[in-house]
Amino acid sequence: MKRLIDILRDCHELSPDGYRALLTMSDPDDIQYLMEQAREVAQQQFGRGIYLRGLVELSNVCRNDCLYCGIRRSNRHVTRYTLTREEVLNSCDQGYKIGFRTFVLQGGEWGEERSEWIADLILDIRQGWPDCAITLSLGEHPRDTYALWREAGADRYLLRHETHNPRLYSLLHPHEMTIQHRLQCLDWLKELGYQVGAGIMVGSPFQTIKSIVEDINYLIGFKPHMIGIGPFIPQHDTPFANFPAGQVDMTARLYAIMRLALPTALIPSTTAMATLSPDGRLRGILTGANVVMPNLSPQENRSNYALYDNKASFGSESAQGIMKLEEELSSIGYHIDWSRGDHPQQ
Ligand code: SAH
């Protein structure tokens, strides 16, 4: 097994059987070795600095109906909100003063009639904080819309592919959504010069080891600048309310595999990791993740951005908790890297 891990570290690729072996191995020594190698590669690339991204949850209004997501259109139990321009700029202002140099605007998917409003917002942020990176995570849109936002000043775009397997994709999404279109969007974003993030949920209903292997292969082929991976967590008002949550261990194992496969990728230790386990965030970092995304949204809106149950947004999950985050990181020998944190090859 260790030989297999060495091959992945040195050649950045394995056969499907190789990935399957790494995903299913159970010897604690082997698992430990995988984690150590991933940690070492992350440290070679980024030292012991962890980049921060300030997450601004723009709106929970969504035209989509993804079966796993708490802000899906058919959930009538969620109070819908959209931040005003002033609220977004206020969040950026607070974040900048703390030291954030990346803002992530994330939200439900809107119709194209509001794309101009978003473009104006991007222009405002670009003007107000010219030294900051602007990341968008606003779902699927026509190429023209992505181009408009890029011209307005957006630098990065997060769009998890969720799963590369067409059958599984159709079990997780309404029938009008297709993996082909998702991948098309990711290709457009890359062509337009965004730093692009793809990724998956781990332990989503109906997921198999085989489908995760397909995801690893897709990610290695696509070479995203950023890789967003987090455990699935049920949300009580969705059709998946009664499915079990994904595992922190398996998610950490995937961080390790992706770190060895794509050494320069920016990999956040996601909020869902912190939600499932008090040390989830740190475990992600110790297995090769190098980014944390604290919440900069106004306090009063956070509970309504309910992608899943008990979503962490306080403690070190918030900008106010940055001191605590610094302490946690230093307890494992890491520190915050306050720079913009672009992809090394950008
Ligand atoms: N509307 C945007 C942003 C979605 S929220 C988009 O479509 O990209 C960001 C990510 O949260 C999603 O890509 C999904 O992978 C994750 N997510 C949604 N519901 C979740 C759940 N129940 N458990 C864990 N992660 C979830």
Side-chain angles (χ1 to χ4, degrees):
M1 208 53 87
K2 292 194 174 132
R3 218 178 75 80
L4 207 58
I5 296 166
D6 289 342
I7 295 173
L8 181 59
R9 189 196 55 213
D10 298 338
C11 308
H12 313 299
E13 204 164 2
L14 291 177
S15 68
D17 280 344
Y19 299 127
R20 187 170 310 120
L22 294 189
L23 290 170
T24 54
M25 67 189 182
S26 57
D27 183 331
D29 283 348
D30 292 336
I31 296 172
Q32 177 76 13
Y33 186 74
L34 172 67
M35 306 299 181
E36 278 168 15
Q37 295 306 307
R39 185 155 73 222
E40 237 178 75
V41 169
Q43 286 179 10
Q44 279 162 13
Q45 294 293 335
F46 304 100
R48 287 168 171 262
I50 299 296
Y51 296 133
L52 292 193
R53 319 303 195 197
L55 183 64
V56 181
E57 294 160 337
L58 183 63
S59 171
N60 66 359
V61 175
C62 191
R63 67 181 171 190
N64 251 337
D65 217 21
C66 308
L67 277 77
Y68 44 83
C69 185
I71 65 168
R72 67 201 300 267
R73 137 188 110 219
S74 45
N75 183 5
R76 300 223 178 78
H77 301 288
V78 66
T79 308
R80 302 288 168 173
Y81 75 89
T82 296
L83 298 186
T84 62
R85 177 181 165 277
E86 288 68 32
E87 284 171 321
V88 174
L89 298 181
N90 248 329
S91 298
C92 295
D93 186 48
Q94 283 179 19
Y96 191 87
K97 286 179 181 145
I98 297 169
F100 285 88
R101 292 297 177 268
T102 294
F103 304 122
V104 182
L105 298 183
Q106 189 181 77
E109 219 177 84
W110 291 353
E112 301 319 313
E113 69 282 358
R114 305 184 71 179
S115 297
E116 291 282 352
W117 186 85
I118 291 172
D120 288 342
L121 184 61
I122 296 166
L123 281 170
D124 286 341
I125 299 174
R126 179 53 55 244
Q127 226 172 27
W129 300 277
D131 54 334
C132 290
I134 302 173
T135 305
L136 305 177
S137 178
L138 301 170
E140 295 181 19
H141 294 278
R143 194 182 197 280
D144 286 353
T145 301
Y146 289 146
L148 176 76
W149 293 344
R150 177 90 183 105
E151 277 154 29
D155 306 283
R156 309 180 186 147
Y157 205 104
L158 306 174
L159 184 71
R160 292 189 184 172
H161 66 286
E162 312 294 359
T163 172
H164 193 260
N165 182 285
R167 211 180 88 79
L168 181 55
Y169 196 91
S170 71
L171 292 170
L172 300 181
H173 297 103
H175 68 269
E176 64 272 17
M177 286 179 77
T178 65
I179 182 61
Q180 286 80 7
H181 192 256
R182 195 82 168 177
L183 300 181
Q184 172 69 267
C185 287
L186 283 160
D187 288 341
W188 285 335
L189 290 163
K190 227 185 196 182
E191 283 163 25
L192 290 164
Y194 284 94
Q195 295 174 51
V196 181
I200 62 168
M201 287 180 294
V202 175
S204 54
F206 317 113
Q207 189 178 51
T208 60
I209 293 292
K210 184 169 168 281
S211 73
I212 299 179
V213 171
E214 293 169 32
D215 291 320
I216 296 172
N217 266 325
Y218 165 69
L219 289 169
I220 291 176
F222 182 64
K223 292 192 181 33
H225 306 85
M226 304 168 282
I227 302 175
I229 300 178
F232 161 76
I233 303 175
Q235 203 280 351
H236 62 277
D237 287 318
T238 64
F240 292 164
N242 296 320
F243 280 87
Q247 289 176 351
V248 170
D249 284 350
M250 183 55 102
T251 309
R253 200 181 288 202
L254 267 164
Y255 290 166
I257 293 173
M258 293 320 304
R259 171 58 65 209
L260 297 181
L262 296 171
T264 56
L266 299 157
I267 305 180
S269 189
T270 51
T271 306
M273 287 285 269
T275 301
L276 283 187
S277 164
D279 66 348
R281 164 92 62 227
L282 296 184
R283 279 167 70 188
I285 288 167
L286 291 173
T287 58
N290 72 315
V291 175
V292 172
M293 299 172 67
N295 200 316
L296 278 181
S297 309
Q299 295 280 354
E300 58 273 24
N301 300 107
R302 290 185 191 180
S303 61
N304 289 322
Y305 196 76
L307 302 181
Y308 45 81
D309 289 337
N310 307 313
K311 184 164 156 290
S313 65
F314 296 93
S316 64
E317 273 307 314
S318 67
Q320 295 78 357
I322 283 301
M323 296 268 281
K324 188 163 168 277
L325 177 64
E326 266 184 313
E327 281 166 25
E328 283 179 23
L329 290 176
S330 79
S331 77
I332 55 167
Y334 283 72
H335 58 268
I336 293 172
D337 180 331
W338 289 103
S339 66
R340 250 174 73 125
D342 285 296
H343 187 272
Q345 277 143 34
Q346 198 65 21

